[in-house]
Amino acid sequence: MYRTLCLMLSPALLALIVTPLPLLAQNTWKAGVAKINITPEKPMWMAGYAAREKPAEGKMTDLWAKALAFQDSTGKRAVLITLDLVGVERQLSLPLCEKLQKKYSLDRSQIALNCSHTHSGPVVARNLRPMHEYALERSQQELIHQYADTLEQKIITVVGDALAKLALAKLEWGNGKTDFAVNRRANKEPEVPKLREAGQLKGPNDHDLPVLVAKDAQGKPLAIVCGYACHATVLSGYDWSGDYPGFYQIEIEKAHPGTIAMFWAGCGADQNPIPRRQVELAEKYGKQLAAAVEDVVSKPLTPVTGRLTTTYQEIPLAFAQLPTRDDLLTQTKDTNKYIGMRAKMLLEEIDAGKPLSQTYPYPVQLWRLGNDISWFFLGGEVVVDFAIRTKAEQHGPKTWVAGYSNDIMAYIPSRRVLTEGGYEGGGAMVYYGQPTVWSEQVESQIMAEIDRQAGK
């Protein structure tokens, strides 16, 4: 009798019968998650600190590439890729994303790359080029490019694995807080413990902790994803490590067997974990982050309902006045070797027929997760002002702002930071190989594109 009844029912009604009731209460999402080890196999040079004098010597924790794929009820998909790396630049991310688009029938807006910015990972391709390409011996340069080739293949693999696992799922979100990030421009590092105790820390921060959870049809977490705005610079030694984001992921995966923990870096270019420089502190901050995430997921979360929309655009972000050839020739003799290396690099490009450009193709991306979350992905090392302003002008805690996304080409200062100057305001442009500082229009240009995409 039951079999006869089932044969008489339409496929849609049958789906209602066999689908778990909790899932029916939400719009139908699918999710799939995967990870792959990207720890270098050979002792190659590490990224993030110019003061390092030798390649890595060991491993504290593994480094990972992780992918979370999701699909809404219309079949629209997106893939978040998180990397335990200091950064990837355009010359790696552009061909990588083209291959992902072709292989998996995605468009560029459906792919988001985010780096944790750990300073205990390897040099990747041409990222921070003046620090590495002209300073290292040929054997190390070859290892760097070999690693980039291997990394590309592993990312393509892990994205395919996540997409292959797409299955009925429930997406939920929440927001928490944690406060170990300190504005490094406004507070002297030795004074931070005393200032923190007295409640006198200065400067803007973003201590919000957005959390996204993907659950399977039985309600078990497939992925727990969080974002935080703080440099991953606790450690500065010679062992591979994901720094505090790596320890956070270890803690979450230990507490939730079978779940993949993911971390995306927010607008923390001017934020440091202080105090630092001890393994115990990296573990402490990782556990603090994990505890804050656990506090969020232990409470009722908000289901993601509605559809997925994705947009992506590269805007011509303007530099200030460019140096002349004579300026660059003078810079080759600068006592700062990195200024000299940058000048040499730029002169070689000019002589090869590639003149300096007045603008840089800067990536701005937006994912709308259902009816609530607006998730912006900004390129470069973005200072906290952008997150604060974007949240104030958009939807507050329902607005998530990631930095270190898709292309990490330089620090991205607000107009305030640019005017104040200093490392984030312009000094770091040397290490990224950019010809000069950004124009005073940098903040207004980026915010105008954020508004344009949000308006869509």
Side-chain angles (χ1 to χ4, degrees):
M1 179 67 179
Y2 176 76
R3 185 172 183 274
T4 302
L5 177 61
C6 286
L7 289 172
M8 295 171 60
L9 294 174
S10 69
L13 288 175
L14 274 174
L16 290 176
I17 292 172
V18 300
T19 303
L21 286 176
L23 204 56
L24 293 177
Q26 314 305 328
N27 286 16
T28 303
W29 287 87
K30 290 184 178 180
V33 64
K35 67 178 184 178
I36 192 167
N37 195 312
I38 58 170
T39 312
E41 297 177 356
K42 297 180 180 179
M44 59 183 290
W45 214 263
M46 305 177 78
Y49 296 117
R52 284 197 173 106
E53 300 175 340
K54 55 187 176 182
E57 296 179 327
K59 180 181 73 174
M60 185 179 303
T61 68
D62 278 315
L63 308 176
W64 298 92
K66 300 179 178 180
L68 171 61
F70 39 87
Q71 178 178 302
D72 71 9
S73 59
T74 71
K76 180 68 178 284
R77 296 181 296 169
V79 183
L80 172 68
I81 304 162
T82 60
L83 303 166
D84 292 334
L85 297 171
V86 75
V88 295
E89 36 65 58
R90 180 179 176 80
Q91 287 181 283
L92 187 150
S93 65
L94 192 63
L96 167 63
C97 288
E98 287 174 352
K99 290 173 183 176
L100 291 172
Q101 290 172 249
K102 184 177 180 180
K103 189 174 181 68
Y104 302 120
S105 300
L106 300 167
D107 67 48
R108 183 60 189 86
S109 71
Q110 294 170 284
I111 305 165
L113 291 160
N114 184 271
C115 295
S116 70
H117 202 54
T118 174
H119 283 44
S120 295
V123 175
V124 183
R126 296 159 71 89
N127 191 244
L128 296 165
R129 189 177 166 198
M131 289 173 59
H132 308 302
E133 188 161 328
Y134 292 91
L136 302 181
E137 59 189 29
R138 182 175 295 276
S139 62
Q140 278 296 318
Q141 291 180 19
E142 289 175 353
L143 283 176
I144 289 168
H145 294 294
Q146 289 170 12
Y147 179 80
D149 291 340
T150 301
L151 176 68
E152 180 182 81
Q153 291 305 312
K154 288 188 173 183
I155 293 173
I156 292 170
T157 297
V158 79
V159 169
D161 290 346
L163 288 168
K165 294 177 181 176
L166 281 172
L168 285 176
K170 183 178 179 182
L171 298 183
E172 298 179 331
W173 67 274
N175 275 307
K177 296 277 186 181
T178 194
D179 63 357
F180 58 83
V182 176
N183 190 300
R184 69 187 192 185
R185 291 174 61 84
N187 301 278
K188 294 181 179 179
E189 191 159 331
E191 299 174 1
V192 164
K194 187 179 295 184
L195 292 172
R196 188 193 297 275
E197 186 177 349
Q200 297 177 349
L201 287 172
K202 303 173 184 177
N205 299 99
D206 179 14
H207 289 156
D208 287 347
L209 183 64
V211 177
L212 177 69
V213 182
K215 297 180 178 179
D216 66 16
Q218 286 70 47
K220 179 182 177 182
L222 297 168
I224 297 176
V225 187
C226 83
Y228 190 55
C230 184
H231 256 84
T233 53
V234 182
L235 303 174
S236 59
Y238 289 88
D239 291 331
W240 303 123
S241 172
D243 208 278
Y244 80 81
F247 285 110
Y248 147 75
Q249 293 170 74
I250 290 170
E251 286 296 310
I252 291 293
E253 292 181 2
K254 190 188 304 179
H256 300 269
T259 300
I260 293 181
M262 300 173 69
F263 173 88
W264 53 270
C267 300
D270 51 352
Q271 310 293 308
N272 270 358
I274 301 176
R276 52 184 182 156
R277 300 297 188 244
Q278 296 176 21
V279 175
E280 295 76 15
L281 288 170
E283 294 176 340
K284 173 187 173 183
Y285 298 140
K287 290 179 179 178
Q288 182 175 335
L289 188 62
V293 169
E294 292 284 12
D295 184 59
V296 174
V297 301
S298 68
K299 300 171 182 176
L301 297 169
T302 303
V304 177
T305 59
R307 296 170 59 179
L308 169 69
T309 59
T310 61
T311 59
Y312 177 94
Q313 185 65 47
E314 293 177 358
I315 61 173
L317 202 60
F319 291 115
Q321 183 174 341
L322 294 173
T324 65
R325 184 180 180 83
D326 287 342
D327 292 334
L328 294 175
L329 286 170
T330 300
Q331 290 176 21
T332 60
K333 302 170 185 176
D334 199 283
T335 54
N336 182 327
K337 65 178 181 179
Y338 297 109
I339 292 177
M341 290 175 185
R342 176 185 66 171
K344 179 182 177 182
M345 178 191 81
L346 295 176
L347 285 168
E348 287 179 356
E349 291 180 356
I350 292 171
D351 292 342
K354 184 182 176 183
L356 300 182
S357 174
Q358 188 60 61
T359 62
Y360 187 92
Y362 180 79
V364 179
Q365 185 174 19
L366 169 60
W367 286 358
R368 288 197 189 276
L369 302 185
N371 301 320
D372 288 330
I373 300 302
S374 296
W375 195 351
F376 293 93
F377 297 88
L378 305 179
E381 298 200 49
V382 188
V383 300
V384 74
D385 293 7
F386 282 92
I388 294 171
R389 180 175 171 182
T390 303
K391 291 178 187 182
E393 294 181 4
Q394 298 295 329
H395 309 291
K398 295 182 179 181
T399 304
W400 300 354
V401 190
Y404 302 92
S405 298
N406 297 312
D407 176 9
I408 304 178
M409 76 305 288
Y411 273 79
I412 305 298
S414 61
R415 186 180 177 90
R416 174 185 68 84
V417 172
L418 185 70
T419 302
E420 291 174 358
Y423 186 76
E424 299 85 357
M429 299 294 269
V430 171
Y431 303 101
Y432 276 102
Q434 299 299 350
T436 187
V437 299
W438 295 111
S439 148
E440 290 186 355
Q441 304 305 313
V442 60
E443 180 177 343
S444 61
Q445 281 190 277
I446 293 173
M447 293 306 303
E449 179 58 24
I450 286 173
D451 291 343
R452 189 190 72 80
Q453 293 190 30
K456 284 188 175 181

